[in-house]
Amino acid sequence: MTREAAWSDEPPRPADDPAEPRTPSVTPPDGPGAPAPRRRGALLVRCVLAALSGVLLYLSFPPRPLWWLAPLALALLAGCLYGRRPRAGFGLGTLAGLGYLLPLLVWTGEEVGPVPWLALTFLEALFYGLTGLGIALVSRLRAWPVFAAAVWVAGEGLRARAPFGGFPWGKLAFGQADGVFTPLAALGGTPLLSFGVALCGFGLYEALRIARRHPGRTAAALTALTVAAPIGAALAARPLVSDAAEDGTVVAAVIQGNVPRLGLDFNSQRRAVLDNHVRRTIQLAEDVKAGKAPKPDFVVWPENSSDLDPYAEPDAHAVIDQAVKAIGVPVAIGAVVAPETGPLRNTMILWDPVAGPTATYDKRKIQPFGERIPMRSFVRLFSSDVDRVRRDFGPGKDPGVFDMAGSGVGMVTCFEAAFDDAVRSTVRDGAQVIAVPSNNATFGRTQMTYQQLAMDRVRAVEHSRTVLVPVTSGVSAVIRPDGRIVSQTKMFTADALVAEIPLRSGRTPATVVGPLPEYALLLLAAGGFGVLVARRIRARRAA
């Protein structure tokens, strides 16, 4: 067997396989034997379609409710990658990644110019290139849509871990908050949700390909199952999605104090940011006394609501204590804690109206190039904005679950919500409610806050918990365990949301099994590559 036969576009069939009669090999119209202009034209078309598939994937993300575009985008990408050589798969996958990430992550350059945005986008697009390479390889296998969907999950898993601790933003699952596939998150977490969407997209392409080549064939009907199976599994998982109050209900409040200005200099008036949150909390206390609002059982402030260290700044301590005493219930305060030595701490502080500051939680997933600057001297060559971060933040070690009026409220600070393990560990540590205090003021009025809000909605379904999202400048929200937003604020307005929410202590299958579905899908992808390696070894021996 020649090398070309070993890596042919179609999987080899045994001689007694009646599924398809053998036909003479025909060079494809754009194959090696085609005229050069035709080959170049076909390559250009594939490049354009690959980039277009990325754009369609971007359009499937919030704030647009077009989740159904995601399977179509992956079907289009599959058409570009099917049967291609690994090198072509890498290039086409990278183009798809650029088409997707350039518009998705444009907010990263909102205040610092295009260099960080383009650098991050091109780096992350390389992971999509590797994914495209893998999909092109496994497309030579039978049942290749299953292997290709597993490769997609493997690519997302790698991107969530490297480099610098990973950047899982834009994971396929995070665009499905309004979609039919969402219950899969409760069954197997975001890896299974991404797998279901990817399988549907790749299966759609394969079903259309077989139906076009062999109308009426049983194979087309069987392939269609790869489209129907994830949808059916999601519908079967619907009973896992519930917002019933297992442990009663509580009244929770989130405060959005707003910031004095947009952009990187929003915290140049740190006392003004703190005073805004103090003022809005005291106003809520007055509304409660006047009967205009129900009295909350606890209150959550956003990340960075006090960039003045209340342990070191007596004035900051005094005004926070004043606000907490006014509302008369425990309040979680987002503060920057500056020890005399060592890194800064992005800390949530549990502040009691009687005992003052008690428990703390230090953010564990520190954002590279935002809260810490890896390779500072090298990065400075490209942007002097790195020196705005004069002192790096350091990570905490343990999950943070505050006992707030008898309720277990788990802290997942901003960027951490993108990481499966950060959220899951908080729930496994006893969180009955998840709080995601965030600070999006740096990113202005971009779509970043809506992308993050959709991520929080998926987390609510994944672990069947209410998610409270207090943000300094918006959009703050209260999300029920079934992923519905029951109240939210506008951007750059001072506001307070007060809502009765269910307490839940039950665990979804996703919470129980943790990373096992992702590991299983990684093994599936590895198994596909193993089959290809074995096939190539056999071909060489036969030659």
Side-chain angles (χ1 to χ4, degrees):
M1 182 184 293
T2 65
R3 178 174 301 183
E4 287 74 13
W7 292 92
S8 63
D9 286 358
E10 293 291 337
R13 294 182 175 83
D16 58 348
D17 185 358
E20 182 173 341
R22 292 189 176 273
T23 57
S25 176
V26 179
T27 301
D30 57 343
R38 180 177 296 177
R39 292 201 305 271
R40 288 195 295 269
L43 175 61
L44 178 61
V45 169
R46 285 196 297 272
C47 290
V48 171
L49 291 178
L52 178 60
S53 71
V55 173
L56 288 177
L57 190 56
Y58 158 71
L59 292 175
S60 74
F61 267 66
R64 294 161 297 276
L66 304 178
W67 58 270
W68 46 269
L69 280 177
L72 299 181
L74 294 183
L76 180 59
L77 179 61
C80 299
L81 296 175
Y82 181 81
R84 300 299 160 198
R85 294 179 182 273
R87 182 174 60 184
F90 178 81
L92 294 169
T94 302
L95 285 174
L98 290 173
Y100 173 46
L101 296 175
L102 278 171
L104 186 81
L105 301 180
V106 67
W107 49 267
T108 59
E110 177 70 8
E111 296 294 334
V112 294
V115 174
W117 163 51
L118 294 176
L120 175 64
T121 297
F122 277 91
L123 175 64
E124 295 298 315
L126 295 178
F127 289 96
Y128 286 91
L130 292 174
T131 301
L133 184 155
I135 292 172
L137 285 174
V138 299
S139 70
R140 295 165 168 81
L141 300 172
R142 290 188 177 89
W144 71 266
V146 178
F147 291 104
V151 169
W152 184 276
V153 174
E156 289 191 336
L158 179 61
R159 197 165 70 88
R161 292 168 174 84
F164 311 117
F167 186 76
W169 201 281
K171 185 184 289 190
L172 187 59
F174 295 150
Q176 295 296 308
D178 291 306
V180 69
F181 300 99
T182 311
L184 291 174
L187 186 61
T190 60
L192 184 62
L193 178 51
S194 288
F195 177 79
V197 178
L199 178 59
C200 185
F202 296 143
L204 177 62
Y205 166 75
E206 178 68 356
L208 293 175
R209 187 184 73 86
I210 292 180
R212 179 172 57 86
R213 294 181 59 188
H214 308 290
R217 289 292 302 273
T218 303
L222 293 175
T223 304
L225 289 176
T226 59
V227 180
I231 298 176
L235 294 176
R238 280 294 306 173
L240 297 174
V241 181
S242 171
D243 65 349
E246 294 177 333
D247 305 317
T249 63
V250 292
V251 178
V254 298
I255 300 295
Q256 178 175 301
N258 204 11
V259 297
R261 60 169 63 94
L262 280 66
L264 288 175
D265 292 327
F266 78 93
N267 63 351
S268 60
Q269 299 182 21
R270 293 180 295 171
R271 180 56 189 268
V273 176
L274 173 57
D275 285 345
N276 285 351
H277 289 83
V278 167
R279 188 179 304 111
R280 192 60 188 83
T281 304
I282 292 175
Q283 181 183 336
L284 175 60
E286 293 172 350
D287 290 343
V288 169
K289 290 180 181 179
K292 297 179 181 179
K295 183 177 178 62
D297 294 294
F298 60 84
V299 179
V300 186
W301 283 15
E303 175 191 31
N304 298 134
S305 46
S306 175
D307 274 351
L308 294 172
D309 184 349
Y311 297 109
E313 301 282 348
D315 287 351
H317 186 287
V319 295
I320 293 173
D321 200 55
Q322 176 190 3
V324 175
K325 281 182 166 58
I327 195 65
V329 298
V331 182
I333 308 293
V336 173
V337 175
E340 292 185 3
T341 59
L344 299 171
R345 299 287 176 175
N346 189 336
T347 301
M348 294 300 297
I349 304 172
L350 176 57
W351 206 292
D352 186 83
V354 176
T358 55
T360 61
Y361 166 69
D362 293 333
K363 185 177 181 180
R364 290 172 288 164
K365 302 289 186 179
I366 301 300
Q367 184 179 358
F369 305 103
E371 295 170 307
R372 64 182 179 94
I373 306 296
M375 306 182 302
R376 183 183 291 268
S377 58
F378 175 75
V379 176
R380 189 183 291 113
L381 297 175
F382 301 94
S383 175
S384 61
D385 284 316
V386 298
D387 292 324
R388 290 177 180 269
V389 183
R390 297 185 180 89
R391 185 177 175 186
D392 286 350
F393 283 80
K397 296 181 180 179
D398 301 315
V401 180
F402 291 165
D403 183 349
M404 303 184 74
S407 304
V409 183
M411 298 292 137
V412 180
T413 306
C414 197
F415 182 59
E416 292 184 312
F419 293 85
D420 295 343
D421 59 331
V423 184
R424 182 175 57 247
S425 62
T426 303
V427 177
R428 292 174 70 99
D429 210 46
Q432 297 169 294
V433 177
I434 299 173
V436 187
S438 305
N439 176 21
N440 299 337
T442 303
F443 307 112
R445 299 183 181 276
T446 64
Q447 295 179 7
M448 179 268 185
T449 190
Y450 298 106
Q451 295 170 11
Q452 187 177 44
L453 191 60
M455 185 191 310
D456 297 334
R457 293 178 61 194
V458 172
R459 295 302 186 193
V461 173
E462 181 180 17
H463 298 290
S464 196
R465 294 292 189 272
T466 295
V467 177
L468 306 174
V469 188
V471 186
T472 51
S473 56
V475 172
S476 299
V478 177
I479 305 170
R480 301 280 288 192
D482 59 3
R484 291 181 298 120
I485 298 176
V486 292
S487 59
Q488 68 182 70
T489 67
K490 296 180 180 179
M491 278 185 160
F492 296 100
T493 58
D495 206 346
L497 302 177
V498 184
E500 183 178 7
I501 61 172
L503 295 176
R504 293 179 61 83
S505 57
R507 295 184 177 183
T508 64
T511 309
V512 173
V513 300
L516 293 182
E518 183 179 32
Y519 294 162
L521 292 171
L522 294 179
L523 288 175
L524 178 61
F529 294 137
V531 171
L532 290 170
V533 171
R535 180 185 295 177
R536 188 165 192 178
I537 291 173
R538 288 197 304 268
R540 285 181 172 177
R541 288 176 177 173

